[in-house]
Amino acid sequence: MASSSKKVMVTDLVLRDAHQSLLATRMRTEDMLPICDKLDKVGYWSLEAWGGATFDTCLRFLKEDPWERLRKLKQALPKTPLQMLLRGQNLLGYRHYSDDVVEAFVKKSAECGVDVFRIFDAMNDMRNIEVSVKAVLKAGKHAQGAICYTTSPVHTIEHFVEIAREMEKMGCQTIAIKDMAGLITPARTVELYQALSKAVKVPLAFHSHTTVGVANICMYLAVEHGARHIDTAISSLSWGTSHSPTESMVVALRETPYDTGLNLEQLQEIGFYFREVRKKYHQFESEYAEIDTRVQVSQVPGGMISNLSNQLKEQGALNRMNEVLAEIPRVREDLGFPPLVTPTSQIVGTQAVLNVLTGKRYKSITNEVKLYLQGRYGKAPGKINETVRSMAIGNEEVITCRPADKLKPEMHRLRDEIGELARSEEDVLTYAMFPEIGRKFLEERAAGTLKPEELKPPKSAEATALPAY
Amino acid sequence: MASSSKKVMVTDLVLRDAHQSLLATRMRTEDMLPICDKLDKVGYWSLEAWGGATFDTCLRFLKEDPWERLRKLKQALPKTPLQMLLRGQNLLGYRHYSDDVVEAFVKKSAECGVDVFRIFDAMNDMRNIEVSVKAVLKAGKHAQGAICYTTSPVHTIEHFVEIAREMEKMGCQTIAIKDMAGLITPARTVELYQALSKAVKVPLAFHSHTTVGVANICMYLAVEHGARHIDTAISSLSWGTSHSPTESMVVALRETPYDTGLNLEQLQEIGFYFREVRKKYHQFESEYAEIDTRVQVSQVPGGMISNLSNQLKEQGALNRMNEVLAEIPRVREDLGFPPLVTPTSQIVGTQAVLNVLTGKRYKSITNEVKLYLQGRYGKAPGKINETVRSMAIGNEEVITCRPADKLKPEMHRLRDEIGELARSEEDVLTYAMFPEIGRKFLEERAAGTLKPEELKPPKSAEATALPAY
Ligand SMILES: [Co+2]
Ligand SMILES: [Co+2]
């Protein structure tokens, strides 16, 4: 029957992207476990619960073993597939890893509980996700390819379609559009999903952030034009820099061929639970997490604007903000229009600040820009400005192969380096991801001195006078 | 050209419904005037700035003369049509007024600055809006008929279409669907606007609240299916029990035939302004202003649930909430399915509480239910339960005429009653709307003792550490 084949499947982001977007990734495992029983009964297609910045935050601030979190969640959520976000060859760290590390990391993640791997590369360079996709398939898990959405003269519909085709060929079982900055618009969504549904056979997913306040409209249109997977966040951790509310999307798709079939009352209980949890983390709330449409004017993501304004403020140069906002698209063009997402957003942003503050473009050039121009992050989507390249790296070698092809196996070295501090393969991978804070974590664990950052006391009861009912 | 005829016109609700929904209608004229110059340059089709609960709040809490506010806004917004919300024969009060009061009120509002009158009746009884629509047309102003949206066995698409036809015949120049509870869904929106665009020639408007988190999706679909007017609220006073963000809808409709043509950067500046203003009123924020999908389970509006839970709590009966929620639809059915909006929401809600707490349905019956069953509010959309009617009013007369037909002219009496305290016709109308608080206001004004309620000091600066940029 047509109607059953159009059923939309829901991934709730509450345990990863939602609190990463709204609460600086600070939600602790102890606040996840009590609601897992209810979450597990909903019938989600998956729960995104690991990866992204959670690994880093667990080690750095929460003093939780991220692998331990994963195992606990898996145990508490026996029926619901667990999903993680993986930055391709960067895994969860900030550099390219050798293939043996990638393979070991994926294998271990799968063993500890990850069922669905959403894999992307900041440059949309498919060679950077190849090894992880293969490793996921080898582990018998679900590999979802995620295309970073952005706008530029080279990011045409055909360009995205081409990437999707490559992902399908690579064996990705689903393909997601990942619109991290809230750049996608309804008109563009329709075009894109129409084209993608024609081009590939695997199911399509839609992931966006509600920063601009149009993502739920786009999500609805994506579904009307072929998406069968949507990413939502339970209402009390939704909207603004987070995502479309789960309950709302369930309502929106009712009485349509795309009905999710999820039970609204169950979801409401989960929403009430996280409303209380959110209060515990009030110190991490930012008023800049609300609707911010500036990205639609400057094409610079709101989060990046906030970071840049902090950076400029520290240097007493906040008044140069508009110049920096104007410079960013120019640097981005020079670099061949990379999507602005970690790490390319930092690379472009910092260089733009330098270009403005030094008074002369590329008078000073960051190391990251140099590495980028050497091809060390992969292939740029568009053409590199060769004048800028030669200013930056002169005659140094430019690699055109997959960056990780230049890397020798390193698991052995990493194992040696961390030595006794690692009690398991997971610990070696922790060290691999974050040499400094990973080691510090393992040392403190050995010494029994792990201590999570302190949380400020809850705000006055004033705001909680009314009962949920 | 097709594209220009499909242009969508925007009404911003920031000066009325938005702060009524989020800040208990407390925004003061002093916080509106400084931004009027920018608001006036946007190119809104209209700004809703008066009526609804603002009149009451001005008198009761802010100690502002509502007529004075209107004149000041008109002066500060010379280019943008000012819009008000008018409850038909109830005007801005809570009873039916005689026709001479309605006529005087509309005439004076038009003189003082209202250009667009959005007129509705809680029962959708067209006879209750007839006189005000005529008065608006006589004053040479724009009459918009607003249909209260609700769900019930009698509220079919045909039913709404029939009302729209009557409104058009009556001379309404535009027709709005007014979904005060966030009940409308995408599927229903498409059906409704398809049918309405076929049935009437006048432009259609869409007004909803984002309580359920689907209103912006519905708004987009309404536009795709014929709506040419949308109601939005500037982002910093949007979402939750308020409305779809203005900036977001401007983005959403770009690159479509429905482009609003509004300038995003101008709107962003206005958004930043109101973000600061909102902080001043933090004591009126409610955590229950956020996404609440319960109305989609119980069909009982979220605001009504909060009121009822307060009412039950006071009586130590909060544990009866679920019984009350189950009783409400039954009472509503007995009363012929009125939409749940002021005053019918209170009439139905209070009776449902009584039915539960007294242990026997209709053992005790409120005066309002009695008046309702006498036909004093107008004609119910569906059939009244005659057993309940005879329990309530026995053999008392049931009127079938327009309720106001039973009312004698009363301006003369009102003028006499308020006497010297009224310095103008406006003052008489103030007294007419609110005999007690209106008189008190006029007395305090005469005595020079008007004093607005106190605002709590702003919260700590902590939350405002980051610059807008
Ligand atoms: Co995301
Ligand atoms: Co409203």
Side-chain angles (χ1 to χ4, degrees), chain A residues 212 248 288 294 310 463 466 469, chain B residues 212 248 288 294 310 466 468-469:
Chain A
V212 170
S248 309
Y288 296 86
R294 284 178 296 171
N310 279 341
L466 281 169
Y469 64 87
Chain B
V212 170
S248 308
Y288 296 86
R294 285 177 295 171
N310 279 340
L466 282 168
Y469 61 89

Side-chain angles (χ1 to χ4, degrees), chain A residues 186 212-214 216 220 239 248 252 255 268 275 279 287-288 293-294 310 313 321-322 463-469, chain B residues 186-187 212-214 216 220 239 248 252 268 275 279 287-288 293-294 310 313 321-322 463-469:
Chain A
V212 170
V214 302
N216 57 345
Y220 189 90
W239 203 237
S248 309
E255 294 172 45
Q268 286 166 354
R275 185 157 71 181
K279 290 176 191 164
E287 67 171 308
Y288 296 86
T293 52
R294 284 178 296 171
N310 279 341
K313 207 181 169 194
M321 190 65 194
N322 283 327
T464 64
L466 281 169
Y469 64 87
Chain B
V212 170
V214 301
N216 57 345
Y220 190 89
W239 203 240
S248 308
Q268 287 166 354
R275 185 157 70 181
K279 290 176 191 164
E287 67 171 308
Y288 296 86
T293 52
R294 285 177 295 171
N310 279 340
K313 207 182 169 192
M321 191 64 194
N322 284 328
T464 64
L466 282 168
Y469 61 89

Side-chain angles (χ1 to χ4, degrees), chain B residues 68 99 113 166 175 324 326 341 361 366 369 378 399 450:
Chain B
E68 196 58 29
D99 293 340
E166 285 182 51
I175 294 173
V324 171
V341 60
R361 304 188 72 217
T366 67
V369 168
I399 67 166
L450 286 174

Side-chain angles (χ1 to χ4, degrees), chain A residues 288 292 294, chain B residues 234-236 247 267-277 468-469:
Chain A
Y288 296 86
D292 184 347
R294 284 178 296 171
Chain B
I234 204 80
S235 60
S236 42
E247 300 93 310
L267 292 171
Q268 287 166 354
E269 284 182 44
I270 296 168
F272 286 131
Y273 173 81
F274 282 109
R275 185 157 70 181
E276 297 309 309
V277 166
Y469 61 89

Side-chain angles (χ1 to χ4, degrees), chain A residues 144-380:
Chain A
Q144 177 175 88
I147 304 172
C148 291
Y149 180 80
T150 189
T151 54
S152 89
V154 301
H155 288 91
T156 59
I157 299 291
E158 295 66 38
H159 178 82
F160 291 120
V161 163
E162 194 40 53
I163 300 171
R165 282 211 180 94
E166 285 182 52
M167 283 180 166
E168 187 174 45
K169 237 179 270 167
M170 205 179 272
C172 292
Q173 290 128 314
T174 49
I175 294 173
I177 292 292
K178 174 180 157 66
D179 173 34
M180 50 283 163
L183 274 165
I184 206 163
T185 58
R188 192 84 171 153
T189 302
V190 170
E191 279 187 271
L192 186 53
Y193 279 81
Q194 274 177 340
L196 289 173
S197 349
K198 272 186 212 154
V200 298
K201 288 209 174 58
V202 298
L204 300 172
F206 181 87
H207 176 91
S208 184
H209 289 251
T210 38
T211 323
V212 170
V214 302
N216 57 345
I217 302 175
C218 297
M219 186 175 283
Y220 189 90
L221 295 170
V223 166
E224 282 196 322
H225 294 88
R228 288 297 164 265
H229 291 263
I230 58 174
D231 279 21
T232 62
I234 205 80
S235 61
S236 42
L237 281 165
S238 71
W239 203 237
T241 49
S242 180
H243 312 274
S244 303
T246 309
E247 300 94 310
S248 309
M249 292 312 301
V250 167
V251 169
L253 296 170
R254 278 181 172 182
E255 294 172 45
T256 76
Y258 318 108
D259 192 358
T260 64
L262 300 192
N263 181 298
L264 198 52
E265 287 176 84
Q266 277 179 289
L267 292 170
Q268 286 166 354
E269 284 181 43
I270 295 167
F272 285 129
Y273 173 82
F274 282 109
R275 185 157 71 181
E276 297 309 310
V277 166
R278 184 170 182 171
K279 290 176 191 164
K280 179 170 163 184
Y281 300 98
H282 64 91
Q283 76 203 76
F284 304 108
E285 299 269 359
S286 153
E287 67 171 308
Y288 296 86
E290 291 171 13
I291 291 302
D292 184 347
T293 52
R294 284 178 296 171
V295 69
Q296 291 287 342
V297 173
S298 61
Q299 307 290 301
V300 178
M304 210 176 143
I305 298 182
S306 298
N307 286 340
L308 289 169
S309 76
N310 279 341
Q311 214 173 315
L312 288 172
K313 207 181 169 194
E314 276 168 26
Q315 306 187 44
L318 197 55
N319 58 329
R320 314 292 297 271
M321 190 65 194
N322 283 327
E323 289 166 79
V324 171
L325 282 180
E327 176 64 8
I328 285 171
R330 290 195 289 258
V331 172
R332 193 172 163 234
E333 179 168 4
D334 291 337
L335 299 188
F337 298 110
L340 295 177
V341 60
T342 305
T344 42
S345 52
Q346 289 87 333
I347 296 174
V348 171
T350 308
Q351 189 59 51
V353 169
L354 279 177
N355 284 1
V356 167
L357 294 193
T358 62
K360 190 166 182 297
R361 305 188 73 217
Y362 303 109
K363 184 176 171 185
S364 174
I365 297 177
T366 67
N367 271 332
E368 286 71 25
V369 168
K370 287 176 187 166
L371 287 170
Y372 180 102
L373 292 170
Q374 287 170 346
R376 299 278 170 186
Y377 291 92
K379 190 178 178 316

